[in-house]
Amino acid sequence: MIHTPRYEVAVIGAGPGGIAAGAKLRMAGIDDFVILERADDVGGSWHENNYPGLGVDVPAFAYQYSFARNTHWSRVFPLGGEVEQYHIDIARRFDLYPRIRFGTEVVREQWDDGDSDWKLHIADGSVVTARFLISAVGAFVRPKQDDGIPGRQSFGGKVQRPTSWDHGFDMTGKRVGIIGTGASAVQIIPSIAPDVEHLTVFQRTPVWSLPKPDFALPRAAQLLLSVPGVQTGLHASLLVPLDLMLRGLARGSSHTVHPLMARFDRAAISAYRRYVNLVVKDRATGERLTPDFGPAAKRPTFSNSYLQAFNRDNVSLETAGIDRITATGVETRDGVGHRLDVLVLATGYEVFSDPETYRPGTVLGRKGFDLAKFYAEQGLQAYESVSVHGLPNRWTLCGPYSWTGSGWHAFVEMTSDHAVRAIAEARRRGAVSCEIRKEAADAYHREVYARGESLRYYLNELNGHVRTYYRNSQGDTTYIRPSGFFEAQRANRTYPLDDYLFETSVENGIPA
């Protein structure tokens, strides 16, 4: 077994979270750290995904770090290459590249009680040792390998995936099928439709696809974005209404909130049906494209070309349900065989809010504590979404109940602030370990679970018929934090330090 040098801090992942953590560590004067990244460059999903039409569905001013605002965005909703370059630029600005080990996949995290540090087991057999550990793996942990469709391995044609798109393969004149209508598919479908002979969209669940107010930003607009406070104000204009909505759901009476949710969904579905009928020429197709669930039950998408793609003669919508994938295409449950040259699998990811995402034996803490077992038996939970009792000196940037309606950068910043503050305090006290107290973690979870009652009603009862990663297999809504953004930001930056136990001697349990 090969051992590498011991670092003070190890960060897993060099996506938006890992870059935020690295920048925050440097701002705090902590330079002895390493970032372990399985890919060959920074950016996370923005590096791994390279499919046609890739872009953000959040305005640029809300999809960036508050400490590194970009004044040169080319569009309101930038395309993937520009977003990836933004992350590369920030990593360079904070001199993170010398601290990143690319091609390094962590397969097991194990706390060493004797040495009071983390042993990170790498896929190549080596071990990285670190005193403190920040997991910046992200929300979408890994592409789903098992989509539940029989015969997936039998297809004899070309298979394309959002995370491994072969741009060298010419799909001109090919018969193409795409499975999935999530965020990736909504961008892929209108991008490839003009070139293929025929495109069949196999829809399992319709998606909300709202108009996207996108346009190129002229030089005058870029100059305006460079004025101090302008981008902050624009971002706040999005955050404030979302903040108020989440606060209302978390604190409002169920007798008031539940009927309002039902009325909102009915009105929204009716309005969206009218919108689809205006956009999609064929009324029957439009009806099948219209969801029968509320707009907040699944991740909504934004596009000015997705619904319009179904007006093309070479695009068809298939909703009969897939029976199996065959060597020559897809067979649907109505007995029809669809011959295909190319099959696009846009079937989604394993998400941080599902207990199944955490494999037994991969995160092992104090006295054999297994995170996967804990989550399976007691449900997903973490103090301020960041810290779990039993895992000393470890924080996760995208944990249970973490999303607050903001862009990803805003909340990985706040969780990075949480982790770096705890690390800095442990260093100041000379503590060898820093662990959230069980009573603090339990009290926080009781509160956050109680606040999520209306969200559980919305996803389990009002919209319980629809598959969504907003609701996990345990029937909980651990994807969404039932509080406003500003409350979450304040809590992660000002939590009581006494909620943590700082020990100068693990053997004697002496508090620092």
Side-chain angles (χ1 to χ4, degrees):
M1 186 178 293
I2 304 170
H3 286 266
T4 59
R6 185 177 192 268
Y7 298 93
E8 186 168 21
V9 184
V11 179
I12 302 177
I19 294 171
K24 294 288 185 174
L25 286 167
R26 298 222 61 205
M27 291 179 201
I30 303 172
D31 288 320
D32 181 15
F33 67 88
V34 65
I35 300 176
L36 308 174
E37 170 55 50
R38 65 188 178 189
D40 59 2
D41 208 340
V42 304
S45 295
W46 295 104
H47 176 65
E48 294 179 0
N49 286 275
N50 62 349
Y51 57 81
L54 174 64
V56 295
D57 53 10
V58 176
F61 57 78
Y63 203 80
Q64 58 185 337
Y65 304 110
S66 67
F67 57 82
R69 298 195 185 277
N70 181 15
T71 62
H72 303 291
W73 293 113
S74 67
R75 308 189 62 80
V76 177
F77 294 82
L79 297 178
E82 188 174 3
V83 178
E84 181 182 10
Q85 187 61 49
Y86 169 75
H87 291 96
I88 291 171
D89 292 343
I90 303 309
R92 287 174 176 163
R93 183 187 305 180
F94 286 91
D95 198 27
L96 299 184
Y97 271 94
R99 296 168 170 83
I100 304 174
R101 283 183 49 178
F102 293 111
T104 304
E105 183 176 4
V106 178
V107 295
R108 186 166 79 254
E109 308 164 29
Q110 189 163 13
W111 171 255
D112 189 317
D113 285 309
D115 293 338
S116 301
D117 58 22
W118 283 93
K119 302 298 193 292
L120 306 177
H121 297 257
I122 311 304
D124 64 6
S126 64
V127 176
V128 173
T129 302
R131 180 183 176 195
F132 301 107
L133 175 59
I134 298 175
S135 175
V137 172
F140 304 103
V141 179
R142 61 184 75 88
K144 287 182 179 178
Q145 294 302 311
D146 182 7
D147 45 33
I149 303 173
R152 181 171 55 87
Q153 302 294 336
S154 65
F155 182 62
K158 177 69 174 180
V159 175
Q160 295 274 35
R161 297 177 182 273
T163 53
S164 57
W165 197 275
D166 181 2
H167 288 273
F169 181 81
D170 186 5
M171 294 200 295
T172 302
K174 299 291 195 298
R175 297 186 63 83
V176 181
I178 181 168
I179 300 175
T181 52
S184 299
V186 164
Q187 296 180 341
I188 293 170
I189 289 165
S191 299
I192 66 175
D195 299 321
V196 304
E197 177 186 333
H198 191 271
L199 175 62
T200 303
V201 179
F202 295 94
Q203 175 183 280
R204 293 185 286 188
T205 306
V207 64
W208 284 77
S209 184
L210 304 170
K212 193 174 189 176
D214 188 25
F215 54 87
L217 291 171
R219 179 60 180 160
Q222 293 175 339
L223 289 172
L224 181 62
L225 291 178
S226 67
V227 176
V230 168
Q231 293 203 65
T232 302
L234 289 171
H235 193 190
S237 70
L238 290 182
L239 288 176
V240 168
L242 288 169
D243 184 273
L244 293 173
M245 180 187 72
L246 282 172
R247 286 192 188 202
L249 291 176
R251 299 186 182 277
S253 165
S254 60
H255 298 294
T256 302
V257 173
H258 291 188
L260 285 175
M261 285 177 161
R263 287 198 291 271
F264 170 78
D265 275 6
R266 286 195 297 270
I269 293 169
S270 177
Y272 187 71
R273 177 174 285 108
R274 290 194 294 272
Y275 166 67
V276 172
N277 287 336
L278 287 173
V279 174
V280 180
K281 296 176 182 177
D282 182 71
R283 182 60 63 90
T285 299
E287 192 61 32
R288 289 185 291 156
L289 287 167
T290 302
D292 63 351
F293 53 87
K298 283 177 70 75
R299 178 184 175 182
T301 64
F302 298 87
S303 175
N304 298 324
S305 54
Y306 170 69
L307 292 174
Q308 291 82 347
F310 292 94
N311 291 328
R312 300 182 59 90
D313 293 336
N314 69 329
V315 176
S316 59
L317 179 66
E318 180 56 63
T319 58
I322 297 173
D323 182 59
R324 63 192 178 102
I325 296 173
T326 68
T328 58
V330 170
E331 185 174 306
T332 46
R333 291 172 186 161
D334 56 5
V336 176
H338 302 263
R339 294 186 64 84
L340 303 171
D341 304 307
V342 182
L343 184 60
V344 180
L345 297 177
T347 49
Y349 295 82
E350 295 182 32
V351 185
F352 76 96
S353 52
D354 278 323
E356 295 80 11
T357 298
Y358 302 87
R359 307 289 198 263
T362 57
V363 180
L364 300 174
R366 194 187 294 278
K367 299 178 181 178
F369 174 90
D370 190 319
L371 182 64
K373 182 180 179 181
F374 174 69
Y375 280 168
E377 294 177 354
Q378 301 191 37
L380 271 70
Q381 53 187 286
Y383 176 77
E384 295 293 348
S385 309
V386 177
S387 194
V388 175
H389 178 74
L391 300 176
N393 292 10
R394 184 187 186 274
W395 299 265
T396 184
L397 302 188
C398 189
Y401 304 100
S402 57
W403 186 64
T404 58
S406 66
W408 293 108
H409 297 74
F411 85 70
V412 295
E413 267 195 63
M414 72 171 78
T415 50
S416 293
D417 286 333
H418 183 126
V420 173
R421 181 174 182 238
I423 291 170
E425 182 65 14
R427 296 172 85 232
R428 187 187 71 79
R429 298 189 186 196
V432 296
S433 74
C434 167
E435 182 177 5
I436 193 66
R437 296 177 187 271
K438 188 176 189 305
E439 56 270 26
D442 288 347
Y444 175 80
H445 182 61
R446 284 194 298 270
E447 180 182 3
V448 79
Y449 188 84
R451 285 187 176 190
E453 189 276 333
S454 287
L455 285 171
R456 288 192 296 277
Y457 167 78
Y458 184 81
L459 293 168
N460 287 331
E461 298 183 43
L462 199 57
N463 292 287
H465 61 290
V466 62
R467 293 173 54 185
T468 172
Y469 58 67
Y470 289 168
R471 178 187 63 247
N472 69 17
S473 60
Q474 296 169 328
D476 203 356
T477 57
T478 54
Y479 191 95
I480 306 167
R481 177 170 175 146
S483 71
F485 169 82
F486 299 105
E487 177 185 315
Q489 183 184 60
R490 182 173 60 255
N492 271 298
R493 291 176 175 174
T494 63
Y495 57 88
L497 289 169
D498 286 344
D499 282 354
Y500 279 93
L501 175 64
F502 297 89
E503 293 179 346
T504 54
S505 170
V506 174
E507 181 178 352
N508 297 320
I510 301 173

